Amino acid sequence: MIKFLDLEKINNRFRKEIDEKIAEVLDKGWYILGNQNEKFTADFADFCGTKHCIGVANGLDALNIIIKAYGFSQGDEIIVPANTYIASILAITQNGCTPVLVEPDIKTYNINPDLIEEKITSKTKAIMVVHLYGQAVPMEKIWELAKKYNLKIIEDSAQAHGAIYQGKRCGNLGDASGFSFYPGKNLGCLGDGGCITTNDDELAAKIKAIRNYGSDYKYHNIYKGVNSRLDEIQAAVLDIKLKYLDKDNSHRRQIAKYYRENIKNPAVILPETYDENAHVWHIFAIRTKERDRLQEYLKENGIETLIHYPIPPHKQDCYKEWNNLSFPLTEEIHNTILSLPISPVMTDEEVEKIIKIINTKME
């Protein structure tokens, strides 16, 4: 079976370094907000080109804390793509804010910048851009709208570690950005983890306090904060893997390019990118009206696939109040999307097999 993502194989490449670093953490006996956290967050800030990086417990917390730090509250509106993972929406509603959903560009699956301005009202406080599947959102028009209407830009960069737009990496394209280091991400740890990047000194200081019970120093609490901290072992592992991220992303790009050049099944719609550097191919998502049949066919031939994502946020049971809303492009994507294996440890033979099976007529 060709796994969708072989995490054991991915992490075994760094096994010696990881074992040594974990032993170092154990020997020191310091597990929360220590030297490993300081080292990794400084290195990741440098990687993204930002002044600050603050480690948190996971990607949802990252977005949640950004919104909390800005002080957005009941009735404030945040524009967000309708086509996204539910975490983007949860972060907004958990802060009492109102998500205003915008349809995607069907070619890139990301928010369509041309549809944003008509959704802006006097209650709009921010635009959340989600660099879905690893492709940076074209930001030019969004920057213009943010300046025109005095809005904050929040990046959901959970799937886009290392993606570049106009010479800048995701995480440095807005006012603040949330990252996830869930194990399956392009930069993944060995459990849950996340971070926030920003160039705003005041915001960074507030976020540091909020993620640690709202405390600016021990037992002194200036905000009603949360407990959301990246632990030392995860920070150490991430710092090791960060050194190889650009190389791994390059390998993903090569696989994606080969897929796009050689998959010839007329029933399959291939993903598009406007710039190779803008995409790090966290997910290689094809579309086909024969999705379920193709997925079963690939499984029968030893190829594991996943669906990112089968149900759009506005059709989820937890948001019953939105179930009657209609976002046709979003629904089309969720009904036809299928994610093929792509990772830095895939072999040429595996890629060739997947292409061959897809191009072979299903019986």
Side-chain angles (χ1 to χ4, degrees), residues 8-25:
E8 183 180 4
K9 191 174 180 181
I10 287 172
N11 289 319
N12 273 342
R13 296 176 299 160
F14 320 119
R15 182 62 182 267
K16 185 173 184 294
E17 289 180 83
I18 289 172
D19 285 347
E20 290 172 354
K21 189 59 72 171
I22 290 175
E24 182 182 326
V25 173

Side-chain angles (χ1 to χ4, degrees), residues 153-199:
I153 297 175
I154 301 170
E155 294 177 79
D156 181 343
S157 302
Q159 301 184 2
H161 314 76
I164 297 171
Y165 180 77
Q166 293 190 2
K168 288 186 174 183
R169 295 193 195 264
C170 290
N172 193 22
L173 302 177
D175 295 289
S177 177
F179 284 88
S180 167
F181 299 125
Y182 182 77
K185 304 299 186 185
N186 290 32
L187 180 62
C189 53
L190 302 184
D192 267 324
C195 79
I196 297 164
T197 56
T198 184
N199 291 307

Side-chain angles (χ1 to χ4, degrees), residues 63 66-67 70 72 78 126-130 152-156 174-178:
L63 297 175
I66 290 169
I67 296 171
Y70 275 128
F72 301 150
I78 298 177
I127 301 169
M128 182 183 289
V129 295
V130 181
K152 297 299 183 184
I153 297 175
I154 301 170
E155 294 177 79
D156 181 343
D175 295 289
S177 177

Side-chain angles (χ1 to χ4, degrees), residues 93-106:
T93 59
Q94 286 174 1
N95 279 278
C97 299
T98 301
V100 177
L101 306 181
V102 175
E103 283 272 57
D105 178 335
I106 195 66

Side-chain angles (χ1 to χ4, degrees), residues 1 26 29 31 78 120 155 217 226 258 272 279 288 324 334:
M1 172 69 76
L26 292 173
Y31 307 114
I78 298 177
I120 296 173
E155 294 177 79
Y217 60 89
V226 297
Y258 199 74
E272 297 185 25
H279 212 319
T288 175
N324 63 337
H334 286 251

Side-chain angles (χ1 to χ4, degrees), residues 26-232:
L26 292 173
D27 289 343
K28 185 163 188 178
W30 191 291
Y31 307 114
I32 301 289
L33 298 184
N35 292 339
Q36 301 297 339
N37 205 297
E38 290 178 8
K39 174 72 164 56
F40 168 68
T41 53
D43 287 345
F44 195 69
D46 185 63
F47 177 82
C48 293
T50 58
K51 291 173 67 175
H52 304 282
C53 172
I54 304 102
V56 295
N58 55 68
L60 173 56
D61 280 4
L63 297 175
N64 223 323
I65 291 169
I66 290 169
I67 296 171
K68 189 177 183 69
Y70 275 128
F72 301 150
S73 58
Q74 198 74 36
D76 289 342
E77 295 176 351
I78 298 177
I79 290 172
V80 64
N83 182 47
T84 186
Y85 182 56
I86 200 166
S88 314
I89 312 295
L90 287 171
I92 297 171
T93 59
Q94 286 174 1
N95 279 278
C97 299
T98 301
V100 177
L101 306 181
V102 175
E103 283 272 57
D105 178 335
I106 195 66
K107 292 182 179 179
T108 66
Y109 309 134
N110 280 330
I111 194 169
N112 187 338
D114 294 333
L115 302 179
I116 292 175
E117 188 166 18
E118 64 191 53
K119 298 293 184 78
I120 296 173
T121 72
S122 60
K123 296 180 180 179
T124 307
K125 299 296 183 182
I127 301 169
M128 182 183 289
V129 295
V130 181
H131 306 298
L132 198 66
Y133 302 150
Q135 180 156 222
V137 174
M139 295 296 296
E140 199 69 46
K141 191 158 191 172
I142 295 169
W143 288 332
E144 292 172 6
L145 291 173
K147 184 176 181 180
K148 180 178 178 180
Y149 294 100
N150 192 30
L151 305 176
K152 297 299 183 184
I153 297 175
I154 301 170
E155 294 177 79
D156 181 343
S157 302
Q159 301 184 2
H161 314 76
I164 297 171
Y165 180 77
Q166 293 190 2
K168 288 186 174 183
R169 295 193 195 264
C170 290
N172 193 22
L173 302 177
D175 295 289
S177 177
F179 284 88
S180 167
F181 299 125
Y182 182 77
K185 304 299 186 185
N186 290 32
L187 180 62
C189 53
L190 302 184
D192 267 324
C195 79
I196 297 164
T197 56
T198 184
N199 291 307
D200 185 327
D201 296 341
E202 185 178 341
L203 184 70
K206 191 171 183 180
I207 286 169
K208 282 184 179 179
I210 288 173
R211 61 94 188 252
N212 189 31
Y213 298 101
S215 175
D216 55 346
Y217 60 89
K218 197 165 186 177
Y219 302 134
H220 183 258
N221 304 82
I222 53 177
Y223 306 111
K224 296 175 183 177
V226 297
N227 175 20
S228 180
R229 302 168 299 195
L230 181 66
D231 71 68
E232 287 290 274

